[in-house]
Amino acid sequence: MDKFIIKGGRKLKGVVEISGSKNASLPILMATLLTDEPCVVSRVPDLRDIRTTIEILKELGKNVNYNNGVVTVRAKRKLKTAVSHDLVKQMRASFWVAGPLLARFKKAVIPLPGGCAIGVRPVDIHIKGFEKFGVKISMEKGNIVVKAKNLKPAKIILSFPSVGATLNLMMCASLINGTTVLENVAREPEVEDVIKALRSMGADIIIDEKGRIIIKGRAKLGGMNHTVIADRIETGTYILAAAATRGDVLLNNCAPEHNEILLDYLRDAGFNVEIDESSVRICCRSKKINPVNIKTAPFPGFATDLQAPWMSLMCLCAGSADVSEDIFENRFMHAPELIRMGANIVIDRNTAQIIGVKNFGPAVVMASDLRGGAALVIAGLCAKGKSEVERIYHIDRGYENMEKKLSALGASIKRFNPAA
Ligand code: UD1
């Protein structure tokens, strides 16, 4: 298993180009199942989760080509409606093929999803929504089987603005005859990008003034030619890495409006943040990092995916700061590893109370999920001396060329495969 070897203590300096969004690319690639027409999706990052999604599309019968960030999806044969466990267990978002498959074939067989071990992560909100469309749900040999004689439009109020459920139900409704209204939906930028992609396929979807998603189902959708938005979580991670190392970094090709709350909090923490239409520059105003409390929340609140990298920054604050996780129930697995690197953190239910320390110390630590892994890399970049971050296959799920991008910013970080 690959690990990172980091010799920390260097300030990150320079320019970094931000990749296309993983979390927008995944559902947009899945939306290609809604049509037999050719689809071209550009700015797709080269990541493990993307490769898994491509394998799922191929397994279902699509012809997929991935070259230099451009994915071309064409019909090869009649699509299958079952996905194998080997693929689904690698990525929880695999369950999102259920919506498009139901819409096209009124049936899908999907193993219970796997993915990051950051909580129970049930799919009950998806299921309740599908039931309103007239879908019958059963469990057979570890698979969720969703089937319908006829799909009907519905008014669905989500019990929580789940990103995945919003996407799954929206993709499904885009081919259900009649008007579907989804309320209490996720408003993440990735959802808006999927809406844009679906519209380019001919879908009739609007977000009304009450924030509801209204879908008038079409009999058929066409192909698409879509470029995905910048990855706001990758953007936030590099911003936080620059801040924690007291560096000076310009991030290009990003969307600063998708990271507004993070940038506000960084200003409160004492950093200089300059934004342009598609770039962010972050540098220090003083040596001291002010403590700032955060709570994660659905967009436009503080992104749960940036909670772990933010925690690494707050571990170095002058004073004490609270980090509350209100989206996932088990998303502090990075905290014990940060403590091994010298951080002072006490977890009380969903809140981490952090007392700032002068710096992290080098250590061998283990990534246990994607964003938690990024938090450990940030700590390793700060710690003077040699740190190792093990199990970086988690990090490879979501960060394109992380070691190359960080090296270009002056970090000493190398990938090492003990078995090679
Ligand atoms: C997506 C993102 C993930 C991000 C999360 C929240 C992708 C590939 N993943 O995940 O990076 O952290 O949004 O912004 O885009 N829940 C239920 N029942 C359900 C669905 C969700 O209880 O049926 C709960 C989950 O357990 C979790 C919370 O709702 O506690 C948020 O989940 P959700 O918004 O669905 O996250 P994902 O779509 O899985």
Side-chain angles (χ1 to χ4, degrees):
M1 270 189 268
D2 286 8
K3 58 182 174 182
F4 280 148
I5 298 182
I6 304 171
K7 287 186 191 138
R10 300 183 185 184
K11 295 175 189 219
L12 295 187
K13 285 203 169 138
V15 182
V16 61
E17 295 293 321
I18 296 305
S19 298
S21 159
K22 164 179 95 76
N23 287 356
S25 298
L26 298 178
I28 289 169
L29 290 176
M30 292 172 189
T32 65
L33 293 168
L34 290 164
T35 183
D36 281 336
E37 303 290 319
C39 294
V40 181
V41 189
S42 306
R43 205 184 179 191
V44 177
D46 189 1
L47 299 169
R48 210 158 66 91
D49 277 7
I50 297 293
R51 301 267 168 196
T52 304
T53 306
I54 290 175
E55 285 313 307
I56 290 173
L57 294 179
K58 285 182 178 169
E59 186 179 67
L60 290 171
K62 287 283 193 186
N63 199 333
V64 190
N65 179 279
Y66 183 25
N67 189 6
N68 210 6
V70 180
V71 183
T72 310
V73 186
R74 289 194 174 81
K76 189 165 143 200
R77 50 180 153 83
K78 190 173 180 311
L79 293 177
K80 291 201 280 180
T81 52
V83 191
S84 63
H85 181 244
D86 272 355
L87 291 170
V88 174
K89 73 178 181 202
Q90 295 178 37
M91 189 182 72
R92 175 187 153 83
S94 313
F95 188 66
W96 302 353
V97 297
L101 290 177
L102 263 173
R104 292 279 312 276
F105 309 104
K106 302 198 174 63
K107 185 178 176 190
V109 180
I110 305 183
L112 265 176
C116 277
I118 56 178
V120 183
R121 305 188 83 177
V123 286
D124 57 306
I125 305 172
H126 305 234
I127 299 284
K128 277 187 196 132
F130 286 147
E131 281 174 338
K132 293 240 169 171
F133 290 151
V135 176
K136 295 269 173 285
I137 322 276
S138 57
M139 278 295 300
E140 288 172 24
K141 300 180 187 160
N143 298 315
I144 301 182
V145 180
V146 287
K147 260 190 212 168
K149 277 212 177 81
N150 277 309
L151 291 167
K152 53 174 198 223
K155 180 174 175 190
I156 302 168
I157 304 173
L158 278 65
S159 57
F160 177 86
S162 151
V163 173
T166 302
L167 293 169
N168 224 343
L169 298 173
M170 187 170 77
M171 289 192 280
C172 190
S174 65
L175 284 177
I176 299 177
N177 188 24
T179 301
T180 289
V181 179
L182 303 178
E183 266 189 70
N184 195 29
V185 287
R187 293 296 305 274
E188 269 64 7
E190 295 78 16
V191 174
E192 309 233 342
D193 203 32
V194 176
I195 292 179
K196 195 171 163 207
L198 289 171
R199 277 191 193 141
S200 78
M201 299 171 83
D204 183 346
I205 305 179
I206 58 153
I207 302 180
D208 74 0
E209 67 288 351
K210 291 183 184 152
R212 302 178 306 179
I213 298 180
I214 317 249
I215 307 137
K216 289 189 183 141
R218 298 273 199 213
K220 221 175 160 199
L221 292 181
M224 69 163 117
N225 194 335
H226 182 83
T227 302
V228 298
I229 52 170
D231 196 309
R232 68 190 165 104
I233 307 302
E234 189 200 31
T235 305
T237 303
Y238 285 107
I239 289 175
L240 289 165
T245 61
R246 273 64 155 197
D248 183 349
V249 171
L250 176 71
L251 298 98
N252 272 340
N253 275 321
C254 56
E257 70 275 18
H258 295 164
N259 284 106
E260 250 174 36
I261 194 162
L262 171 72
L263 298 178
D264 282 349
Y265 285 154
L266 279 162
R267 290 187 185 101
D268 294 346
F271 291 90
N272 260 334
V273 179
E274 292 164 25
I275 59 169
D276 208 333
E277 205 180 314
S278 62
S279 70
V280 176
R281 182 177 165 201
I282 168 117
C283 58
C284 281
R285 260 203 318 262
S286 75
K287 273 197 158 173
K288 192 175 125 208
I289 299 173
N290 301 325
V292 179
N293 298 334
I294 64 133
K295 264 181 201 295
T296 63
F299 188 83
F302 194 96
T304 171
D305 286 350
L306 288 174
Q307 176 260 106
W310 175 268
M311 188 183 286
S312 293
L313 177 70
M314 278 303 115
C315 285
L316 304 178
C317 75
S320 69
D322 285 356
V323 168
S324 295
E325 175 54 61
D326 287 348
I327 305 287
F328 290 103
E329 70 276 15
N330 182 26
R331 208 172 192 179
F332 285 144
M333 284 175 302
H334 44 283
E337 298 298 280
L338 291 174
I339 291 169
R340 297 185 56 240
M341 297 183 79
N344 187 345
I345 307 169
V346 177
I347 307 282
D348 180 12
R349 282 162 295 176
N350 70 332
T351 300
Q353 296 162 341
I354 303 163
I355 310 247
V357 294
K358 209 157 165 261
N359 197 0
F360 291 103
V364 177
V365 287
M366 193 177 82
S368 49
D369 66 282
L370 165 57
R371 309 302 173 184
L376 300 180
V377 170
I378 293 177
L381 293 172
C382 297
K384 287 203 172 88
K386 183 174 141 190
S387 292
E388 295 184 14
V389 181
E390 297 179 333
R391 299 207 181 173
I392 56 171
Y393 60 84
H394 289 293
I395 297 175
D396 293 336
R397 287 186 50 209
Y399 292 95
E400 189 176 45
N401 295 329
M402 184 184 246
E403 69 272 34
K404 283 195 192 130
K405 290 189 182 188
L406 288 172
S407 299
L409 294 174
S412 168
I413 173 167
K414 290 209 162 42
R415 181 177 291 263
F416 177 72
N417 179 347

